[in-house]
Amino acid sequence: MGAPRADGTVPLRRHRPFVLLCGEQIASSVGRQITALALTLLAVTDLGAGPFGAAALLALTYLPGAVLSPLAGAIVDRIRLRRLLVWVTALQTLVVGSIPLAGAVGHVTLAHLYVVAGVSGTLTFTLSVALQAALPRVVGPERLLAANSALTAARTSGQVGGPALGGVMVGLLGADAALLAGSAAYAIEALFLFALPAALPAALNALTGSREPARAKSLAGSLRTGLAVVRAERRLRRMVLAGAGLNLGSGAAAALYVFYATRDLALPAWQLGTTYAAYSAATLAGALLAGRFARTSGLWRATQIFGLAAGAAVFLIPAASLGLAFPVLLAYQVCYGLSGTVWMISMTTTQQLVTPDGMQGRVAGLVQAVLLTTVPVGALAGGVLAAWLGNVPMLMGAAAVTLLSAATLWAPMGAGVTVPKRALDAEAESRR
């Protein structure tokens, strides 16, 4: 623990519970990246899964989040957060570890992989909702922006190194050993979460300063009250709708990105890989700069500006067909990675600030469900339309969807709940 600042709080870099969450994000990200790669390679190379089988495996990691996130949010608001975080992560360790255990006795099947993918996806998105609900209690509303930025940077660092580590382990030791390493990463994550305070402090309502548990007697009632918050807060409702459109269009573009870059543009593998590396670097830069942008322009204005920039960046994908494909796609990945990260951090912070205390889980679960659902829908629609219209026309349409969706953030909006300015007032101090 470091020396307190003038306002009596400890800087985030010396705030033990928050540092534990940063460590958890790195371990979790590495575990997810290794697990996703090893599961796919095990299914394709060892068990003979075809294209549909590989696609089904990927879909099963996302589908539970789209379907069950609202229910997970309602549960998060009804039980002790720290206990939930530890149990979910411990169960994740056992679920992923069941594959190398089955491999040791020679009984790994595709059905086993599908079950692991589905259960692991459910646990991953439940943990995501729980952490969004826990963060305001750990750092308080005044430091949410800096905390979200730091956690995104920690998560991105794991995403950069995770696939490379997973690939090396699969190549040298096999998929079973890689999954054992993924399970170990989840176990380390569980230890970080177990070290959190046994009772996370109750956070004040960011808008009114009051404590409002807002508990409902039933899960259905909990979901209704969460939906009422999303519908009542105009900026939150606007962000959810814009985010759904952005994910729909960008999901369609992402589904064709590799095929379009290699077949239509004839990019060699090293150039394609470089564009993805540029995206990772831009994402990290966005996480580091999000607080500065929000302090300069305001939290809501940053959401508007960078949402629009992310939507416009997608036009660079079809523009690559006009020439200079490699530098144009590099520019796309840098622009989209930077602007999309700032937009998401600003949106998440705004969501946490306008959500009443005791309802963070429900609202986060509903928002996550909407945003996750539109990604596979966009990917499927993109594939169908590309087969009918061609790659470039479909990519132009996807870019138009993302830009128009982001533009709705700028439409006139009546008076509504305003994000507290105090969320930004303490940023300079909290980042020291």
Side-chain angles (χ1 to χ4, degrees), residues 77 129 174 196 214 244 276 307 341 343 381:
D77 286 337
V129 171
L196 287 172
Y276 280 112
T341 301
W343 170 75

Side-chain angles (χ1 to χ4, degrees), residues 122-172:
T122 301
L123 295 172
T124 294
F125 292 115
T126 299
L127 185 68
S128 175
V129 171
L131 287 172
Q132 285 191 48
L135 190 60
R137 303 187 186 187
V138 173
V139 303
E142 293 83 3
R143 298 195 287 179
L144 273 174
L145 180 61
N148 278 315
S149 299
L151 288 181
T152 301
R155 184 166 57 250
T156 301
S157 67
Q159 291 171 349
V160 171
L165 179 60
V168 170
M169 294 197 68
V170 170
L172 295 179

Side-chain angles (χ1 to χ4, degrees), residues 275-300:
T275 67
Y276 280 112
Y279 173 82
S280 298
T283 299
L284 183 58
L288 297 175
L289 296 173
R292 178 174 299 177
F293 287 132
R295 287 195 305 274
T296 301
S297 60
L299 195 55
W300 174 247

Side-chain angles (χ1 to χ4, degrees), residues 4 13 27 48 53-54 64 69 71 83 89 104 126 135 139 160 184 201 272 280 283 298 329 334 348 396 409 431:
R13 67 178 183 275
S69 286
L71 179 61
R83 181 181 299 172
T89 312
T126 299
L135 190 60
V139 303
V160 171
L272 182 63
S280 298
T283 299
L329 289 183
V334 170
T348 302
M396 287 293 295
L409 293 168
R431 293 173 70 88

Side-chain angles (χ1 to χ4, degrees), residues 197-429:
L200 293 175
L204 290 177
N205 186 311
L207 298 178
T208 65
S210 63
R211 298 185 186 276
E212 184 181 348
R215 290 184 179 270
K217 293 183 178 180
S218 67
L219 287 176
S222 294
L223 293 175
R224 285 194 296 270
T225 55
L227 183 60
V229 171
V230 176
R231 294 177 60 184
E233 216 304 310
R234 293 180 180 132
R235 292 187 176 183
L236 180 55
R237 185 173 68 247
R238 185 71 60 82
M239 287 190 303
V240 172
L241 294 175
L246 276 163
N247 281 356
L248 187 71
S250 61
L256 283 184
Y257 182 80
V258 174
F259 182 85
Y260 166 73
T262 55
R263 296 290 184 87
D264 292 9
L265 304 180
L267 255 66
W270 74 268
Q271 289 185 347
L272 182 63
T274 301
T275 67
Y276 280 112
Y279 173 82
S280 298
T283 299
L284 183 58
L288 297 175
L289 296 173
R292 178 174 299 177
F293 287 132
R295 287 195 305 274
T296 301
S297 60
L299 195 55
W300 174 247
R301 186 64 73 191
T303 304
Q304 292 176 303
I305 292 172
F306 288 96
L308 199 64
V314 180
F315 278 101
L316 291 171
I317 302 179
S321 63
L322 300 177
L324 300 176
F326 179 48
V328 171
L329 289 183
L330 274 178
Y332 156 70
Q333 294 283 23
V334 170
C335 293
Y336 190 81
L338 177 64
S339 56
T341 301
V342 176
W343 170 75
M344 182 56 71
I345 289 173
S346 300
M347 175 182 169
T348 302
T349 303
T350 301
Q351 169 194 309
Q352 291 168 325
L353 286 169
V354 303
T355 299
D357 185 33
M359 300 182 68
Q360 293 282 352
R362 277 165 279 182
V363 171
L366 288 166
V367 172
Q368 181 171 274
V370 172
L371 297 182
L372 285 176
T373 300
T374 50
V375 174
V377 170
L380 180 61
V384 172
L385 291 174
W388 179 35
L389 301 173
N391 289 336
V392 173
M394 194 288 300
L395 289 168
M396 287 293 295
V401 169
T402 59
L403 185 60
L404 290 174
S405 299
T408 62
L409 293 168
W410 294 82
M413 185 166 46
V417 182
T418 302
V419 178
K421 184 177 181 298
R422 61 178 173 152
L424 300 177
D425 289 341
E427 282 300 305
E429 290 294 322

Side-chain angles (χ1 to χ4, degrees), residues 11 24 36 39 76 84 86 101 115 124 176 183 194 198 285-286 288 299 335 368 376-377 386 404:
E24 176 274 333
L39 277 178
V76 163
L84 175 66
V86 172
L101 180 62
V115 170
T124 294
D176 283 350
S183 178
F194 184 76
L288 297 175
L299 195 55
C335 293
Q368 181 171 274
V377 170
L404 290 174

